Amino acid sequence: MDPKGVQSELVLILDFGSQYTHLITRRVRSLNVFSLCISGTSSLETIVGHNPKVVILSGGPHSVHSPDSPTFPYGFVEWAQSSGCFVLGICYGLQLMVQSLGGVVQVGQKQEYGRMEIEVEKTMGMFGGKRVGDRQVVWMSHGDEAVQLPDGFEVLARSQQGAVAAVANPAKRFYGLQYHPEVTHSPEGMETLRYFLFDVCGVTAGWKMENILDEEIKVIKGMVGPEDLVICALSGGVDSTVAATLVHRAIGDRLHCVFVDNGLLRYKERERVIETFERDLHLPVTCVDASERFLSELKGVVDPEMKRKIIGKEFISIFDTFAHNLEEKLEKKPAYLVQGTLYPDVIESCPPPGSGRTHSHTIKSHHNVGGLPKDMKLKLIEPLKLLFKDEVRQLGRILNVPEAFLKRHPFPGPGLAVRVLGDVTQGNALDILRQVDEIFIQSIKDAGLYDTIWQAFAVFLPVRSVGVQGDQRTHSHVVALRAVTSQDGMTADWYYFEHKFLDDVARKICNSVRGVNRVVQDITSKPPSTIEWE
């Protein structure tokens, strides 16, 4: 997808490392405005090249007084004023803006973390639709605070402790919020963003999936030559399926799909997926059984990052072989590989600080991002890499992908390798996990909860516990059940099951799966955890 081809004025977020940064991207898109997130230390040339209508400076864990704290590039302020671009600083972004423009930021006498009430002092800027004295609850997370504003700036709101909560310089089109409007803990935050973008900045909403579909087909046709062959790595998940359907609409039968059984699939996943592709989606698929190859490479590997990289490398090697065989058969060498990479995959696979790309840490290298070899022979087509999961589902509906398929819970590319903690080849961990997972998911479906939950799965833990089964002592395996609610996968809350449901599931697992005598539930949100365990 070419951001310049999107029929919407761009809101560009400069990422300074806040855990909430990508929520800003998502919240702006939910207003039908296209937004992108790039490193806060990107060059001025990069920022200008995106031609944004609005630039948002994100929060971050830094202090503007630290010598290594990130900042926008030299000339940014002058460019923003001359180009007519609006700038909004959030949390650290506000402090950076104030400090850079001649104001003073100091360590606050009273640090503010969590829910805090603010009061409107001036009805202008983001609070133009409010009244003086109006109050609202917001989410604060800062130690430093602005104590002296640059010339031309005014205080719009203060916290109940007297700290500056919102500022504005309408003449220069610079605005700032000390709190996080993008999180749900700021109940009026979305309304503030909406008012700012539409009423203050005059942004035109134009982010629609229909536009994205037309634009992406145009991009694919422009990239792929009229006789070029393309292979698609189908995993059976929503992402690769929507990607394949999209590319198929663009180039037709020159798309050749391959499904790889890597030995890390769920219970009867291979049979179920192939049937769906052939019966419902009418996509021609070649199935490659490479389970022995993958498991051999993974033998003895316990580090999750190493697992992901091995799996990514093996996938690409298999696709190269598939391309070679296709070339011999059709006397034409495939040039491209389609992958269902999503925006969160790219975000979580980003390099750590000091890499020059972002001030956020690598969370996990997704096999289709961090695991790709540098010498890969096929060129990549990633039509979904700027989209979130729920946006991909919207696109799938437009492409007439069956609703039942679109509602499938996400399944990671590395499969059960990241749900078996430790060596996946040790003992019968994979067989045990498949059985447990099948019981858990089927129970969720039987209870009518599947569509309410964003993702659910079982995890095999590398521990044993003492139990009693059949009046005998057992020393068997422990499994964990994980279920979360989410919108885009960037944040998630654990799903609250009724106790009877959990009791029934635990009994079914312990009575049906040989080798398991204890079931636990994962009740952590994201953050601090991730959704997957590895």
Side-chain angles (χ1 to χ4, degrees):
M1 182 192 307
D2 181 3
K4 295 179 182 178
V6 176
Q7 298 176 16
S8 173
E9 293 165 309
L10 174 66
V11 174
L12 187 66
I13 294 99
L14 300 188
D15 177 17
F16 293 113
S18 168
Q19 61 177 316
Y20 305 127
T21 296
H22 301 289
L23 277 178
I24 306 173
T25 311
R26 188 64 195 90
R27 300 295 183 248
V28 172
R29 289 190 187 184
S30 71
L31 296 172
N32 294 324
V33 175
F34 187 53
S35 59
L36 277 180
C37 180
I38 64 175
S39 170
T41 55
S42 295
S43 67
L44 182 61
E45 181 182 12
T46 298
I47 296 172
V48 173
H50 280 90
N51 190 32
K53 173 81 171 184
V54 180
V55 171
I56 296 180
L57 312 176
S58 87
H62 317 278
S63 169
V64 293
H65 301 297
S66 300
D68 59 346
S69 61
T71 184
F72 41 67
Y74 177 78
F76 171 78
V77 172
E78 292 75 15
W79 165 78
Q81 293 180 31
S82 64
S83 67
C85 181
F86 290 79
V87 179
L88 171 63
I90 294 177
C91 197
Y92 174 80
L94 176 147
Q95 297 165 10
L96 176 61
M97 185 170 63
V98 168
Q99 183 88 349
S100 301
L101 294 174
V104 178
V105 175
Q106 293 179 352
V107 176
Q109 293 183 349
K110 294 182 179 179
Q111 297 179 337
E112 297 179 324
Y113 298 103
R115 289 181 175 86
M116 186 74 61
E117 194 174 69
I118 65 170
E119 182 175 327
V120 175
E121 291 192 351
K122 290 195 175 180
T123 55
M124 58 183 291
M126 292 155 292
F127 298 120
K130 301 291 184 181
R131 296 176 299 179
V132 173
D134 280 355
R135 296 184 178 186
Q136 62 179 281
V137 174
V138 301
W139 187 259
M140 291 284 193
S141 182
H142 68 100
D144 292 352
E145 64 178 75
V147 296
Q148 181 179 323
L149 300 183
D151 291 342
F153 279 79
E154 298 184 68
V155 176
L156 304 185
R158 291 184 184 272
S159 73
Q160 62 192 51
Q161 296 186 154
V164 172
V167 301
N169 184 333
K172 291 186 176 181
R173 297 177 298 279
F174 275 71
Y175 300 84
L177 295 172
Q178 185 56 70
Y179 63 91
H180 291 276
E182 69 274 21
V183 302
T184 55
H185 303 300
S186 297
E188 297 184 49
M190 276 300 294
E191 181 56 40
T192 300
L193 285 174
R194 181 184 291 107
Y195 190 89
F196 174 70
L197 293 176
F198 298 142
D199 294 82
V200 176
C201 304
V203 170
T204 301
W207 170 250
K208 295 180 181 179
M209 279 301 127
E210 289 82 0
N211 299 139
I212 301 310
L213 174 61
D214 294 341
E215 173 61 26
E216 192 56 44
I217 289 177
K218 192 184 306 179
V219 169
I220 293 169
K221 286 182 175 180
M223 179 189 307
V224 180
E227 296 183 0
D228 285 342
L229 301 181
V230 178
I231 356 183
C232 180
L234 280 176
S235 67
V238 175
D239 310 330
S240 63
T241 301
V242 172
T245 306
L246 176 59
V247 175
H248 188 261
R249 179 170 292 192
I251 66 171
D253 292 339
R254 288 182 290 125
L255 174 69
H256 297 267
C257 300
V258 55
F259 176 82
V260 179
D261 183 349
N262 58 5
L264 302 165
L265 302 177
R266 289 172 291 192
Y267 183 77
K268 292 188 176 180
E269 179 81 356
R270 173 174 166 177
E271 296 88 341
R272 292 169 177 173
V273 165
I274 295 298
E275 181 184 1
T276 300
F277 287 150
E278 294 177 348
R279 182 192 64 204
D280 298 328
L281 300 173
H282 310 294
L283 289 173
V285 184
T286 298
C287 182
V288 175
D289 187 347
S291 52
E292 290 187 10
R293 175 174 174 175
F294 274 86
L295 296 179
S296 174
E297 290 295 321
L298 290 168
K299 187 175 179 60
V301 179
V302 298
D303 180 72
E305 277 293 288
M306 185 64 68
K307 287 182 188 177
R308 290 174 178 273
K309 291 184 183 300
I310 288 173
I311 291 169
K313 181 180 178 182
E314 288 304 310
F315 266 127
I316 297 303
S317 177
I318 289 170
F319 299 146
D320 280 339
T321 301
F322 179 75
H324 177 72
N325 294 338
L326 199 62
E327 180 183 3
E328 290 185 339
K329 178 181 178 181
L330 302 178
E331 299 183 349
K332 176 74 176 178
K333 185 176 183 180
Y336 295 91
L337 170 67
V338 178
Q339 288 197 145
T341 309
L342 300 193
Y343 203 28
D345 298 345
V346 178
I347 291 166
E348 290 188 334
S349 300
C350 70
S355 65
R357 278 181 54 193
T358 182
H359 284 266
S360 300
H361 286 266
T362 299
I363 305 302
K364 58 183 72 170
S365 294
H366 289 261
H367 79 288
N368 54 343
V369 182
L372 300 181
K374 295 180 180 179
D375 60 348
M376 189 176 72
K377 300 179 180 64
L378 297 165
K379 291 176 280 188
L380 279 179
I381 297 177
E382 298 174 299
L384 312 177
K385 72 175 182 180
L386 295 181
L387 300 181
F388 291 94
K389 175 73 74 172
D390 58 317
E391 293 171 334
V392 172
R393 288 192 170 108
Q394 292 177 41
L395 187 60
R397 291 185 182 99
I398 298 171
L399 288 165
N400 295 318
V401 175
E403 190 68 22
F405 199 85
L406 292 175
K407 288 182 177 179
R408 294 190 77 196
H409 290 181
F411 185 62
L416 300 183
V418 292
R419 293 178 181 175
V420 172
L421 275 58
D423 184 353
V424 301
T425 66
Q426 194 167 26
N428 59 341
L430 286 170
D431 289 336
I432 287 175
L433 182 57
R434 287 189 183 101
Q435 295 176 63
V436 172
D437 189 75
E438 178 70 7
I439 291 171
F440 184 37
I441 298 303
Q442 190 58 52
S443 297
I444 288 174
K445 291 178 178 178
D446 292 343
L449 300 174
Y450 190 80
D451 292 345
T452 304
I453 297 169
W454 196 78
Q455 187 175 10
F457 55 90
V459 180
F460 183 91
L461 304 181
V463 293
R464 290 176 180 262
S465 74
V466 173
V468 55
Q469 292 170 298
D471 294 326
Q472 295 181 348
R473 177 189 185 275
T474 59
H475 190 226
S476 300
H477 298 288
V478 182
V479 293
L481 307 180
R482 175 77 156 147
V484 299
T485 57
S486 181
Q487 185 177 43
D488 48 43
M490 294 307 300
T491 60
D493 289 320
W494 61 280
Y495 184 80
Y496 185 89
F497 288 108
E498 295 293 334
H499 289 173
K500 185 179 186 308
F501 174 86
L502 291 173
D503 180 50
D504 289 344
V505 170
R507 290 176 187 273
K508 288 179 184 176
I509 292 171
C510 290
N511 290 335
S512 304
V513 183
R514 184 179 297 275
V516 175
N517 68 0
R518 194 174 298 268
V519 179
V520 299
Q521 184 189 8
D522 180 346
I523 57 169
T524 44
S525 61
K526 175 185 180 180
S529 69
T530 56
I531 295 177
E532 296 287 349
W533 278 50
E534 287 195 339

